Amino acid sequence: MKYKDLSFTKASRFSRPEWVRTEESVMALSDGSLQIMINVDRHGLKRLEKALKTPDDIRGFSHYDLPYPAERYERRKANLEIALAERERRKEEGRWH
Protein backbone atom coordinates (compact mmCIF):
# COMPACT_ATOMS: atom_id res chain seq x y z
CA MET A 1 0.00 0.00 0.00
CA LYS A 2 1.42 3.36 -0.99
CA TYR A 3 1.53 6.15 1.60
CA LYS A 4 -0.25 9.15 0.04
CA ASP A 5 -0.89 11.64 2.84
CA LEU A 6 2.31 13.60 3.51
CA SER A 7 0.51 16.37 5.38
CA PHE A 8 2.15 17.83 8.47
CA THR A 9 -1.21 18.67 10.01
CA LYS A 10 -1.43 15.25 11.62
CA ALA A 11 1.04 13.44 13.82
CA SER A 12 2.72 11.08 11.45
CA ARG A 13 5.89 9.19 10.80
CA PHE A 14 7.57 12.57 10.31
CA SER A 15 6.94 13.81 13.83
CA ARG A 16 9.41 13.26 16.64
CA PRO A 17 8.27 12.72 20.22
CA GLU A 18 9.00 15.66 22.49
CA TRP A 19 11.06 15.09 25.63
CA VAL A 20 9.40 15.98 28.91
CA ARG A 21 11.82 16.84 31.67
CA THR A 22 11.11 16.24 35.30
CA GLU A 23 12.79 17.87 38.26
CA GLU A 24 14.28 14.51 39.25
CA SER A 25 15.89 13.96 35.85
CA VAL A 26 17.41 17.45 35.88
CA MET A 27 18.71 17.01 39.44
CA ALA A 28 20.66 13.94 38.31
CA LEU A 29 22.68 15.91 35.73
CA SER A 30 26.19 17.16 36.33
CA ASP A 31 26.82 20.91 36.26
CA GLY A 32 28.42 20.75 32.82
CA SER A 33 25.59 18.73 31.32
CA LEU A 34 23.02 21.07 32.83
CA GLN A 35 24.74 24.14 31.38
CA ILE A 36 25.00 22.55 27.93
CA MET A 37 21.31 21.64 28.06
CA ILE A 38 20.39 25.23 29.00
CA ASN A 39 22.49 26.68 26.15
CA VAL A 40 21.06 24.31 23.55
CA ASP A 41 17.49 24.92 24.75
CA ARG A 42 17.92 28.69 24.64
CA HIS A 43 19.28 28.56 21.10
CA GLY A 44 16.45 26.28 19.97
CA LEU A 45 13.80 28.51 21.54
CA LYS A 46 15.20 31.63 19.87
CA ARG A 47 15.17 29.89 16.51
CA LEU A 48 11.65 28.55 16.96
CA GLU A 49 10.38 31.92 18.20
CA LYS A 50 11.65 33.57 15.02
CA ALA A 51 10.02 30.85 12.92
CA LEU A 52 6.68 31.30 14.70
CA LYS A 53 6.70 35.01 13.86
CA THR A 54 6.59 34.11 10.16
CA PRO A 55 4.52 30.90 10.06
CA ASP A 56 3.89 31.13 6.31
CA ASP A 57 7.59 30.57 5.60
CA ILE A 58 8.21 26.88 6.24
CA ARG A 59 11.98 27.35 5.86
CA GLY A 60 12.22 28.77 9.39
CA PHE A 61 11.07 25.52 10.97
CA SER A 62 13.19 22.45 11.49
CA HIS A 63 11.78 19.05 10.69
CA TYR A 64 11.52 18.22 14.39
CA ASP A 65 9.40 21.33 15.09
CA LEU A 66 6.53 19.99 13.03
CA PRO A 67 3.61 19.12 13.02
CA TYR A 68 2.67 21.27 16.05
CA PRO A 69 5.32 24.01 16.44
CA ALA A 70 3.40 26.19 18.92
CA GLU A 71 2.79 23.28 21.28
CA ARG A 72 6.40 22.17 20.97
CA TYR A 73 7.55 25.72 21.75
CA GLU A 74 5.54 25.73 24.99
CA ARG A 75 6.88 22.32 26.04
CA ARG A 76 10.48 23.32 25.30
CA LYS A 77 10.01 26.58 27.21
CA ALA A 78 8.73 24.63 30.23
CA ASN A 79 11.71 22.27 29.98
CA LEU A 80 14.09 25.23 29.97
CA GLU A 81 12.40 26.77 33.01
CA ILE A 82 12.89 23.53 34.96
CA ALA A 83 16.59 23.51 34.07
CA LEU A 84 17.03 27.18 35.01
CA ALA A 85 15.30 26.61 38.35
CA GLU A 86 17.67 23.73 39.10
CA ARG A 87 20.70 25.89 38.24
CA GLU A 88 19.46 28.65 40.57
CA ARG A 89 18.87 26.11 43.34
CA ARG A 90 22.44 24.84 42.97
CA LYS A 91 23.79 28.40 43.07
CA GLU A 92 21.90 29.13 46.28
CA GLU A 93 23.27 25.97 47.87
CA GLY A 94 26.79 26.85 46.74
CA ARG A 95 27.16 23.68 44.67
CA TRP A 96 27.43 25.44 41.28
CA HIS A 97 30.98 25.46 39.92
Side-chain angles (χ1 to χ4, degrees):
M1 181 174 186
K2 189 173 181 182
Y3 186 74
K4 294 181 181 179
D5 183 19
L6 298 179
S7 168
F8 285 111
T9 59
K10 302 176 189 173
S12 67
R13 63 188 175 120
F14 298 105
S15 64
R16 185 180 89 163
E18 192 70 33
W19 290 95
V20 178
R21 291 198 191 118
T22 62
E23 292 177 3
E24 292 81 20
S25 67
V26 174
M27 288 173 66
L29 294 173
S30 67
D31 289 348
S33 297
L34 181 62
Q35 188 60 47
I36 289 171
M37 181 188 344
I38 289 170
N39 292 343
V40 169
D41 286 349
R42 279 184 177 157
H43 176 72
L45 281 174
K46 284 180 187 178
R47 182 196 48 75
L48 188 53
E49 188 174 342
K50 287 179 185 177
L52 287 171
K53 288 180 182 178
T54 57
D56 295 335
D57 186 10
I58 194 73
R59 293 175 296 171
F61 294 102
S62 292
H63 64 281
Y64 47 83
D65 295 336
L66 302 171
Y68 307 111
E71 292 174 13
R72 290 178 184 264
Y73 176 81
E74 293 301 322
R75 170 113 1 113
R76 291 174 190 170
K77 188 174 179 181
N79 284 341
L80 177 62
E81 290 172 359
I82 290 171
L84 290 172
E86 174 62 20
R87 185 176 70 177
E88 289 304 314
R89 187 182 68 79
R90 290 181 187 186
K91 283 183 177 181
E92 289 174 2
E93 292 177 355
R95 296 184 319 139
W96 187 257
H97 300 270

